[in-house]
Amino acid sequence: MSAETTAVKFPLTASAAPVAAERRAQVLAAPGFGKHFTDHMATATWTPEDGWHDTAVVPYGPLSLDPAAAVLHYAQEVFEGMKAYRREDGSVWAFRPAANAARMARSARRLALPEVPEQMFLEAVTSLVRADVEWVPSGGESSLYLRPFMVATEAFLGVRSAREVKFLVIASPAGSYFTGGVKPVSIWLSQEYTRAALGGTGSAKCGGNYAASLAAQEEAAAHGCDQVCFLDAVEHRWVEELGGMNLFFVHDDGTIVTPELTGTILEGITRASILELAKDLGHEVVERRVGVDEWREGVASGRITEVFACGTAAVVTPVGRLVSPEGEVVHGDVAGPVTTAVRRTLLDVQYGRAADPHGWTTRLV
Ligand code: PLP
Ligand code: COI
């Protein structure tokens, strides 16, 4: 059989009650993050007997789940985060969607879930964006945030991998992840909590990691901070990442350093892209362990000149302060020049305002 005949499709059942155009325009004018959802969703079901089947784009709406569904008890779940970007000519593009497909497959393996083949993942995303193309905002740094995810739906309370699983993609128009826009964020250095240990699920994008980060995030908020930074679980010394973003350190000689992938850090697609783009901009880039002492001392001595966080939702966000019981490390309340240049370079590729030498963008509509 040719690839053409085996390709999985997601036929559309159009919503009979789509959101009215005026209401949609209101939402798109100030979308916020993760609050509003489009008219449709992509869906598929997996069983060991039939593999993936019932692939479709259907009206957005609640799922009917058995109260014994495994995901509700044992959190057998993985997800992805990616965006569709509208360009000035009206076309809509994705950024490295195959990398999201590959990461979701890795996460699925760790959570003992079935893999979604790359073609099926891309078809689901593309079919949904085509159905809901009017929901892709234009202007500024707005985008349509896409959330592919997979949940164990089998009604069974025994602890084993589920024999019925659903894959879905939902979409949400997005403005800035942080309500303050691009202004520097404050970071609380978690003392009590860690995010991941070697052999655990830190490098998988699974819901449980985020549930486990919420107490630390609340502690951050109680200390007046926007985000939490996690240290390694063994020595409580090595900087790992934030609850939903990777970190970069800019040195005074132009070198850009990011914590190396140890198996406990999420392998961010923005992180990987910045490693390439920073090289293109003439920076030396280094992946290695970064101690929290190095962070503190580097800022005091002037060796570390800027710190920024990055991720699909947050793009590139400057870090303004690191707060802990040992005191504060202050970076300042404006984005530094390297952070600003990296941010602009990345956005220019994503929005098609600059050449795409690495072939990272894919037209969806
Ligand atoms: N680290 C964590 C824990 C995340 O949740 C995310 C967001 O997806 C990232 C890093 C950044 O990953 P990406 O750049 O692929 O969005
Ligand atoms: C993303 O950047 O896509 C994320 O998933 C981070 C957060 C919203 C969980």
Side-chain angles (χ1 to χ4, degrees):
M1 244 191 281
S2 74
E4 191 56 36
T5 52
T6 57
V8 178
K9 299 282 184 208
F10 283 74
L12 170 67
T13 301
S15 170
V19 172
E22 309 84 74
R23 173 67 192 135
R24 190 177 62 229
Q26 271 174 358
V27 168
L28 296 186
F33 181 84
K35 289 191 294 194
H36 305 281
F37 299 92
T38 63
D39 292 317
H40 299 93
M41 59 188 188
T43 161
T45 302
W46 177 91
T47 57
E49 302 77 41
D50 297 329
W52 287 111
H53 57 277
D54 290 346
T55 54
V57 170
V58 297
Y60 184 92
L63 301 176
S64 172
L65 280 186
D66 193 291
V71 64
L72 301 177
H73 303 271
Y74 308 128
Q76 199 188 4
E77 186 267 3
V78 297
F79 70 97
E80 269 305 317
M82 54 199 286
K83 284 174 171 174
Y85 305 85
R86 191 183 287 283
R87 297 190 175 179
E88 262 176 20
D89 65 0
S91 61
V92 176
W93 297 65
F95 181 72
R96 308 190 74 177
N100 293 98
R103 187 170 64 189
M104 186 147 174
R106 292 197 298 277
S107 301
R109 282 199 289 278
R110 180 61 185 86
L111 273 286
L113 283 162
E115 288 177 36
V116 173
E118 179 183 305
Q119 181 275 331
M120 176 177 152
F121 180 97
L122 299 178
E123 189 67 24
V125 164
T126 307
S127 303
L128 178 62
V129 173
R130 288 193 178 143
D132 284 334
V133 66
E134 285 167 346
W135 284 94
V136 186
S138 53
E141 285 169 15
S142 60
S143 60
L144 185 65
Y145 184 78
L146 299 164
R147 173 54 62 87
F149 64 104
M150 204 195 296
V151 288
T153 50
E154 186 189 0
F156 179 58
L157 294 183
V159 181
R160 60 147 169 77
S161 55
R163 296 185 184 150
E164 187 196 272
V165 170
K166 280 204 190 302
F167 167 63
L168 295 108
V169 188
I170 56 174
S172 172
S176 181
Y177 183 69
F178 293 109
T179 44
V182 213
K183 79 172 189 353
V185 292
S186 49
I187 307 284
W188 167 249
L189 186 67
S190 183
Q191 310 293 302
E192 192 183 341
Y193 304 108
T194 54
R195 181 181 171 278
L198 210 56
T201 57
S203 62
K205 204 162 166 61
C206 61
N209 289 344
Y210 298 81
S213 76
L214 297 178
Q217 179 63 37
E218 290 202 349
E219 199 178 71
H223 287 88
C225 292
D226 302 303
Q227 278 286 312
V228 58
C229 175
F230 291 103
L231 297 176
D232 75 286
V234 179
E235 295 181 66
H236 293 278
R237 174 176 168 205
W238 305 106
V239 176
E240 300 234 297
E241 61 181 322
L242 308 186
M245 283 154 248
N246 295 117
L247 279 172
F248 277 86
F249 297 83
V250 182
H251 285 230
D252 59 350
D253 63 358
T255 305
I256 296 186
V257 180
T258 191
E260 67 186 353
L261 302 173
T262 53
T264 57
I265 296 176
L266 190 80
E267 192 173 346
I269 293 158
T270 318
R271 174 189 179 280
S273 307
I274 288 172
L275 285 170
E276 294 296 319
L277 292 176
K279 257 188 266 174
D280 299 347
L281 290 171
H283 294 278
E284 191 186 330
V285 296
V286 180
E287 294 174 77
R288 62 163 170 81
R289 296 204 292 187
V290 178
V292 69
D293 293 348
E294 180 188 351
W295 186 344
R296 291 199 179 100
E297 287 158 20
V299 173
S301 70
R303 177 119 177 81
I304 294 175
T305 54
E306 300 172 43
V307 178
F308 62 84
C310 69
T312 299
V315 194
V316 171
T317 297
V319 172
R321 312 185 280 141
L322 175 72
V323 183
S324 71
E326 282 103 89
E328 267 190 48
V329 176
V330 178
H331 292 282
D333 50 16
V334 287
V338 176
T339 305
T340 304
V342 166
R343 188 170 202 285
R344 186 178 319 116
T345 305
L346 176 66
L347 287 167
D348 282 351
V349 174
Q350 290 173 331
Y351 284 92
R353 298 186 294 248
D356 174 18
H358 303 283
W360 286 337
T361 59
T362 307
R363 186 165 180 176
L364 301 178
V365 183

